[in-house]
mmCIF file of all heavy atoms in Angstrom:
data_model
loop_
_atom_site.group_PDB
_atom_site.id
_atom_site.type_symbol
_atom_site.label_atom_id
_atom_site.label_comp_id
_atom_site.label_asym_id
_atom_site.label_seq_id
_atom_site.Cartn_x
_atom_site.Cartn_y
_atom_site.Cartn_z
ATOM 1 N N THR A 64 9.679 -27.056 -5.153
ATOM 2 C CA THR A 64 10.242 -28.269 -5.745
ATOM 3 C C THR A 64 10.667 -29.191 -4.638
ATOM 4 O O THR A 64 11.312 -28.741 -3.686
ATOM 5 C CB THR A 64 11.459 -27.932 -6.639
ATOM 6 O OG1 THR A 64 12.350 -27.124 -5.906
ATOM 7 C CG2 THR A 64 11.041 -27.257 -7.907
ATOM 8 N N PRO A 65 10.370 -30.427 -4.679
ATOM 9 C CA PRO A 65 9.479 -31.075 -5.639
ATOM 10 C C PRO A 65 8.041 -30.622 -5.422
ATOM 11 O O PRO A 65 7.727 -30.000 -4.404
ATOM 12 C CB PRO A 65 9.628 -32.556 -5.341
ATOM 13 C CG PRO A 65 9.991 -32.608 -3.907
ATOM 14 C CD PRO A 65 10.806 -31.356 -3.648
ATOM 15 N N ALA A 66 7.190 -30.950 -6.375
ATOM 16 C CA ALA A 66 5.790 -30.535 -6.284
ATOM 17 C C ALA A 66 5.187 -31.070 -4.992
ATOM 18 O O ALA A 66 5.458 -32.203 -4.583
ATOM 19 C CB ALA A 66 5.012 -31.059 -7.479
ATOM 20 N N PRO A 67 4.393 -30.266 -4.311
ATOM 21 C CA PRO A 67 3.795 -30.717 -3.050
ATOM 22 C C PRO A 67 2.818 -31.865 -3.286
ATOM 23 O O PRO A 67 2.195 -31.937 -4.335
ATOM 24 C CB PRO A 67 3.068 -29.481 -2.541
ATOM 25 C CG PRO A 67 2.877 -28.615 -3.719
ATOM 26 C CD PRO A 67 3.974 -28.929 -4.677
ATOM 27 N N PRO A 68 2.711 -32.782 -2.321
ATOM 28 C CA PRO A 68 1.771 -33.890 -2.491
ATOM 29 C C PRO A 68 0.333 -33.379 -2.436
ATOM 30 O O PRO A 68 0.034 -32.416 -1.725
ATOM 31 C CB PRO A 68 2.067 -34.805 -1.304
ATOM 32 C CG PRO A 68 2.665 -33.898 -0.282
ATOM 33 C CD PRO A 68 3.395 -32.841 -1.044
ATOM 34 N N ARG A 69 -0.533 -34.023 -3.187
ATOM 35 C CA ARG A 69 -1.946 -33.640 -3.185
ATOM 36 C C ARG A 69 -2.574 -34.128 -1.897
ATOM 37 O O ARG A 69 -2.427 -35.279 -1.512
ATOM 38 C CB ARG A 69 -2.703 -34.280 -4.355
ATOM 39 C CG ARG A 69 -2.217 -33.897 -5.709
ATOM 40 C CD ARG A 69 -2.924 -32.707 -6.316
ATOM 41 N NE ARG A 69 -4.285 -32.523 -5.932
ATOM 42 C CZ ARG A 69 -5.312 -32.489 -6.753
ATOM 43 N NH1 ARG A 69 -5.111 -32.695 -8.031
ATOM 44 N NH2 ARG A 69 -6.513 -32.247 -6.324
ATOM 45 N N SER A 70 -3.276 -33.259 -1.193
ATOM 46 C CA SER A 70 -3.978 -33.679 0.012
ATOM 47 C C SER A 70 -5.375 -34.121 -0.382
ATOM 48 O O SER A 70 -5.976 -33.578 -1.304
ATOM 49 C CB SER A 70 -4.043 -32.541 1.024
ATOM 50 O OG SER A 70 -4.779 -31.471 0.509
ATOM 51 N N THR A 71 -5.925 -35.111 0.319
ATOM 52 C CA THR A 71 -7.254 -35.610 -0.017
ATOM 53 C C THR A 71 -8.343 -34.835 0.684
ATOM 54 O O THR A 71 -9.484 -34.875 0.282
ATOM 55 C CB THR A 71 -7.388 -37.097 0.362
ATOM 56 O OG1 THR A 71 -7.100 -37.235 1.751
ATOM 57 C CG2 THR A 71 -6.438 -37.932 -0.456
ATOM 58 N N GLY A 72 -8.004 -34.088 1.722
ATOM 59 C CA GLY A 72 -8.997 -33.308 2.450
ATOM 60 C C GLY A 72 -9.205 -31.959 1.811
ATOM 61 O O GLY A 72 -8.555 -31.591 0.826
ATOM 62 N N GLY A 73 -10.123 -31.190 2.381
ATOM 63 C CA GLY A 73 -10.413 -29.877 1.853
ATOM 64 C C GLY A 73 -9.381 -28.843 2.256
ATOM 65 O O GLY A 73 -9.203 -27.845 1.592
ATOM 66 N N ALA A 74 -8.675 -29.058 3.351
ATOM 67 C CA ALA A 74 -7.697 -28.084 3.822
ATOM 68 C C ALA A 74 -6.378 -28.284 3.084
ATOM 69 O O ALA A 74 -6.012 -29.385 2.716
ATOM 70 C CB ALA A 74 -7.476 -28.247 5.320
ATOM 71 N N SER A 75 -5.656 -27.203 2.884
ATOM 72 C CA SER A 75 -4.353 -27.337 2.249
ATOM 73 C C SER A 75 -3.372 -27.935 3.242
ATOM 74 O O SER A 75 -3.499 -27.778 4.451
ATOM 75 C CB SER A 75 -3.859 -25.966 1.763
ATOM 76 O OG SER A 75 -3.649 -25.135 2.880
ATOM 77 N N SER A 76 -2.354 -28.612 2.707
ATOM 78 C CA SER A 76 -1.410 -29.279 3.592
ATOM 79 C C SER A 76 -0.568 -28.278 4.356
ATOM 80 O O SER A 76 -0.012 -28.592 5.385
ATOM 81 C CB SER A 76 -0.529 -30.240 2.812
ATOM 82 O OG SER A 76 0.289 -29.517 1.916
ATOM 83 N N SER A 77 -0.447 -27.040 3.852
ATOM 84 C CA SER A 77 0.371 -26.067 4.553
ATOM 85 C C SER A 77 -0.246 -25.677 5.898
ATOM 86 O O SER A 77 0.465 -25.300 6.806
ATOM 87 C CB SER A 77 0.562 -24.814 3.689
ATOM 88 O OG SER A 77 -0.679 -24.179 3.465
ATOM 89 N N SER A 78 -1.558 -25.795 6.026
ATOM 90 C CA SER A 78 -2.176 -25.455 7.294
ATOM 91 C C SER A 78 -2.184 -26.636 8.267
ATOM 92 O O SER A 78 -2.399 -26.453 9.436
ATOM 93 C CB SER A 78 -3.612 -24.977 7.071
ATOM 94 O OG SER A 78 -4.397 -26.034 6.555
ATOM 95 N N THR A 79 -1.896 -27.834 7.779
ATOM 96 C CA THR A 79 -1.966 -29.003 8.655
ATOM 97 C C THR A 79 -0.594 -29.563 9.034
ATOM 98 O O THR A 79 -0.453 -30.177 10.059
ATOM 99 C CB THR A 79 -2.794 -30.127 8.006
ATOM 100 O OG1 THR A 79 -2.214 -30.465 6.738
ATOM 101 C CG2 THR A 79 -4.236 -29.705 7.840
ATOM 102 N N ASP A 80 0.436 -29.329 8.191
ATOM 103 C CA ASP A 80 1.726 -29.918 8.512
ATOM 104 C C ASP A 80 2.755 -28.891 8.993
ATOM 105 O O ASP A 80 3.907 -29.229 9.187
ATOM 106 C CB ASP A 80 2.273 -30.730 7.343
ATOM 107 C CG ASP A 80 2.575 -29.875 6.128
ATOM 108 O OD1 ASP A 80 2.450 -28.643 6.211
ATOM 109 O OD2 ASP A 80 2.945 -30.451 5.085
#
Side-chain angles (χ1 to χ4, degrees):
T64 51
R69 299 268 330 239
S70 63
T71 57
S75 65
S76 66
S77 64
S78 65
T79 57
D80 64 5

